[in-house]
Structures are given as C-alpha cells and as structure tokens.
C-alpha cells in the first residue's frame, strides 16, 4: 500500500505584532503597529514626514530593534534568526542607492551573492542577467563606477543588487525619491512590469501618494507613529477609516479615484449602446483614467456580451453612482 503525504506549499509571510519604538530623543517613532504581508503583495507605507515609515521598515531587517512587540518571518521571530538567513531572505533598496563608489556596477550587484559564497561564475551570470532585465546593457555598463551613471541608472543598479540573491522579501525606502519626476514615472513603470518581483513580498516606503496608489496592493497610511489605516487603495479612497485619511487623500482624491477604479468596476452604471463598434484599444481592465484618455470623444467597450458607451460624462456619472451604491 502506498501512503501519500500532502506537503503543504509554504508561502512567505511577515507578521508585525504590536511593535513600538521609542528613541532617546523622547519621540515614540512607532506606536503599537501590527500588520501581515503575504507572498505576492506589495505593501506601501505612506504618510507624513516623521510618521514612522522608515523606522517600521528598518525593524523588519533588524537595522533597528523594537522596544515592544515582535516581528516574525514565516512564523519565526526575527530575533532568533541568523544574520546570513536574513540576508538571504531580505533585499534592501535605499533612496540614495548606497552603492559602493569604488566597486564597478557588476561588483556592486554581486555583493550579497559573494557574502553568501556563491561561485564566481554564477555571480557574474546572475548579475549580467539582472542588468539586462533592468535595461542596463552589460557591454556598456558592467565595468563602470556608480559616479559614471545617471540617477535612474544608479537606482536600477541598487535594485539589481537587492534582487541578486533572489530574496523572497524586498524592502524599499523611497526607492524613486531622488529621481526627477519624468525618470521617476518611467522607472516606476518598469518596476511594475519586472517578472523578478512576482511572488515576492515588497514593502515600500514613500510619501508620494500617486506612487503608493500605483504600486501598492495594500497601503498603510501612517501619521505620528500610528497606523491610521491599512487597506487596499479602494478601502482608503472609498472607506477612509478617519478624518486624517480623508484629509490626507483629499487633494488628489478625484485623480486617484479615476486611476484606481477600472472600467469593469463601474460597468453596471455605464449606459448600454448599440451604436458604434468596440474600441479595440479600450478593455474593461483599463482604469477609468485610461478610458477618459481614450474616450475623449466616445468609445464603446464590450463586456460579457454587452456594449457600453464610454465618454467623459458616462464615466463621471457611473463613478458617482458607484460611490452612492457603496
Ligand atoms: N535614530 C533616531 N534617533 C532619534 N529619533 C529618530 C531616529 N530615527 C527616527 N527618529 C524619529 O522618529 C520619528 C519617525 O521617523 P521615521 O524616519 O521613521 O519617519 P518617516 O515616516 O520615515 O519620515 P520621512 O518620510 O521624513 O523619512 C521621527 O520623529 C524621527 O525624528
């Protein structure tokens, strides 16, 4: 008789439980913060300056120790874990990249695999492959030094370095903060498309609201050390937990609603039409923002055999009715 064992598929998880951090200055940087993040999620920590985002992030890789509460990875308290284990598990990207100025690009990317004692040829192969994925030609840039790169290129090297040992967790502190607005948008879009990030846990700190809504599967909004709300972008926009959340988002509320809501979210409130042929560039999975850009005149979108009329007026009316129905 054969006995089959069911081997559970273990997914990576971070649990932050009732964590508090005081500093000597008297500031309570983080007050009783708890959350969980699972494999495949991008949690964005958003908020005002001094809100406790960086301190929270740095407690996860033990650069800062909490005074109260605990943090665990895959059910193991991080205080019990060896530094090499944490290094293998967690990649860290900083705003100013933290690249070593006297190391070439290739050497910078290979730092962690080298600490983990990978074979030299494996390190080089992995580093070159990451450079290609991040659109940095190895032929051109492998042997140059960080100061010979633009800010956007340095940021890509910083990201490649954090990804080199393929850690399941990526912590990012204002990773796009030092870039000019246009480069920032481009690097951010490339970041979203990176297949290397699938199935990882990403925790990203920013005070850029748009960035948070673009990248976060969930957003944790912090103020003065406290988590004001942790939820999906839709939760924060349409079910704000308190007046702070509402006021924080208010200046961008309209734009964020258009970018967060997909055409399929409001499909029931869009009018049917029999006129016109479907706009091939517009899909139900496009955001309302994209639909507005596409449908400045009029577009027809097909959904479950129905044809819906999409233009500025129909979108705005449908959003208003969507919000009423919540
Ligand atoms: N090493 C430290 N020593 C003393 N106080 C600190 C230290 N690090 C942070 N703080 C204080 O803790 C609070 C939270 O800081 P933290 O850097 O976590 O905030 P933040 O939300 O990341 O802010 P920012 O967006 O400005 O980077 C602030 O009041 C800050 O002054």
């Amino acid at each position: 008789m054969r006995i089959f064992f069911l081997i559970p598929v273990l997914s990576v998880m971070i649990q932050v439980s009732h964590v508090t951090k005081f500093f000597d200055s008297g500031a309570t940087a983080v007050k009783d913060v708890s959350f969980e993040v699972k494999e495949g999620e991008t949690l964005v920590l958003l908020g005002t300056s001094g809100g406790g985002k960086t301190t929270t992030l740095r407690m996860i890789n033990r650069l800062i120790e909490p005074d109260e509460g605990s943090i665990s990875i895959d059910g193991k308290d991080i205080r019990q874990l060896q530094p090499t284990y944490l290094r293998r598990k967690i990649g860290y990207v900083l705003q100013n990249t933290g690249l070593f100025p006297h190391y070439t690009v290739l050497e910078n990317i290979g730092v962690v695999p080298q600490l983990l004692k990978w074979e030299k040829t494996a390190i080089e192969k992995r580093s070159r492959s990451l450079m290609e994925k991040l659109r940095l030609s190895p032929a051109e840039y492998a042997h140059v030094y960080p100061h010979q790169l633009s800010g956007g290129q340095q940021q890509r090297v910083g990201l490649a370095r954090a990804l080199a040992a393929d850690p399941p967790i990526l912590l990012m502190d204002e990773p796009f903060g030092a870039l000019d607005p246009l480069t920032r948008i481009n690097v951010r879009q490339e970041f979203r498309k990176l297949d290397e990030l699938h199935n990882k846990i990403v925790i990203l700190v920013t005070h850029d609201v748009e960035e948070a809504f673009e990248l976060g599967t969930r957003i944790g909004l912090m103020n003065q050390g406290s988590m004001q709300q942790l939820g999906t972008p839709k939760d924060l926009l349409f079910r704000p937990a308190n007046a702070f959340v509402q006021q924080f988002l208010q200046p961008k509320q309209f734009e964020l609603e258009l970018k967060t809501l997909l055409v399929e979210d409001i499909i029931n409130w869009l009018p049917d039409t029999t006129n016109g042929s479907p706009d091939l560039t517009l899909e139900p999975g496009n955001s309302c923002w994209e639909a507005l850009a596409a449908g400045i005149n009029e577009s027809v979108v097909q959904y479950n055999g129905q044809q819906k009329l999409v233009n500025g007026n129909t979108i705005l009316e449908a959003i208003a009715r969507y919000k009423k129905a919540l």
Side-chain angles (χ1 to χ4, degrees):
M1 190 177 76
R2 285 188 183 184
I3 299 172
F4 292 96
F5 291 99
L6 281 179
I7 300 169
V9 181
L10 293 176
S11 59
V12 184
M13 198 212 276
I14 298 178
Q15 270 177 312
V16 173
S17 306
H18 301 289
V19 160
T20 293
K21 177 70 195 173
F22 312 104
F23 281 113
D24 295 340
S25 55
T28 309
V30 175
K31 294 177 198 161
D32 194 18
V33 163
S34 299
F35 57 84
E36 283 182 9
V37 203
K38 295 195 180 72
E39 192 177 300
E41 278 195 295
T42 298
L43 173 68
V44 175
L45 297 177
L46 172 70
T48 47
S49 190
K53 308 179 292 293
T54 296
T55 306
T56 303
L57 194 75
R58 293 177 130 225
M59 287 193 282
I60 295 171
N61 62 359
R62 296 198 66 195
L63 287 173
I64 297 177
E65 298 289 346
D67 291 306
E68 289 170 10
S70 64
I71 299 175
S72 63
I73 296 178
D74 297 343
K76 295 180 201 108
D77 191 316
I78 57 172
R79 285 170 292 201
Q80 318 299 331
L81 301 174
Q82 295 295 324
T84 15
Y85 181 90
L86 279 183
R87 212 175 272 143
R88 214 171 320 158
K89 281 274 186 195
I90 303 178
Y92 187 39
V93 185
L94 297 144
Q95 175 176 6
N96 58 9
T97 74
L99 297 177
F100 299 121
H102 305 302
Y103 280 19
T104 64
V105 166
L106 214 54
E107 288 163 349
N108 262 293
I109 298 175
V111 162
V112 177
Q114 202 169 7
L115 285 170
L116 297 173
K117 306 212 179 338
W118 286 23
E119 291 273 334
K120 212 173 155 203
T121 46
I123 298 176
E124 172 138 1
K125 193 168 164 221
R126 171 72 175 152
S127 303
R128 285 180 180 271
S129 136
L130 275 170
M131 285 186 74
E132 267 158 17
K133 283 188 187 176
L134 290 162
R135 296 199 307 108
L136 278 168
S137 150
E140 218 171 319
Y141 298 111
H143 301 294
V144 307
Y145 291 88
H147 74 270
Q148 295 168 288
L149 299 173
S150 71
Q153 289 168 332
Q154 288 181 20
Q155 206 55 48
R156 284 175 203 163
V157 178
L159 183 56
R161 185 175 64 176
L163 291 169
D166 198 19
I169 299 165
L170 194 61
L171 304 182
M172 309 180 83
D173 197 352
E174 290 276 0
F176 314 117
L179 305 177
D180 67 82
L182 199 60
T183 312
R184 189 176 176 131
I185 289 171
N186 290 337
V187 176
R188 210 155 76 191
Q189 279 170 355
E190 283 169 25
F191 175 77
R192 283 177 64 183
K193 291 185 203 142
L194 259 188
D195 62 351
E196 285 276 339
L197 296 176
H198 292 162
N199 303 324
K200 288 199 191 301
I201 285 181
V202 179
I203 305 184
L204 184 147
V205 163
T206 185
H207 43 237
D208 182 326
V209 183
E210 267 181 70
E211 189 162 294
F213 276 75
E214 195 178 307
L215 300 179
T217 43
R218 285 187 301 147
I219 297 170
L221 179 55
M222 297 186 74
N223 183 43
Q224 296 184 349
S226 301
M227 189 65 81
Q228 300 293 319
Q229 184 167 6
L230 198 146
T232 62
K234 278 187 194 159
D235 287 337
L236 270 77
L237 276 177
F238 301 117
R239 288 172 284 273
N242 56 37
F244 175 83
V245 179
Q246 203 166 22
Q247 279 159 17
F248 189 86
L249 300 180
Q250 199 275 329
K252 296 244 168 176
Q253 175 86 20
F254 181 54
E255 186 180 329
L256 294 173
E257 285 179 6
L258 288 172
K259 287 182 173 169
T260 303
L261 284 176
L262 306 181
V263 173
E264 62 194 8
D265 291 325
I266 57 161
I267 205 87
N268 290 338
W269 292 281
L270 285 169
D272 294 320
T273 181
T274 48
N275 292 332
S277 50
D279 183 340
L280 295 178
T281 55
L282 189 61
E283 308 258 342
N286 281 120
S287 68
C288 291
W289 180 269
E290 289 162 335
L292 269 186
I296 285 175
N297 297 317
E298 297 215 317
S299 296
V300 174
V301 70
Q302 225 158 18
Y303 187 83
N304 285 346
Q306 300 165 287
Q307 291 207 147
K308 296 288 189 172
L309 182 66
V310 180
N311 63 33
N313 285 339
T314 62
I315 289 177
L316 296 186
E317 269 175 38
I319 292 179
R321 293 176 67 190
Y322 169 94
K323 285 162 67 175
K324 249 189 177 167
L326 283 171

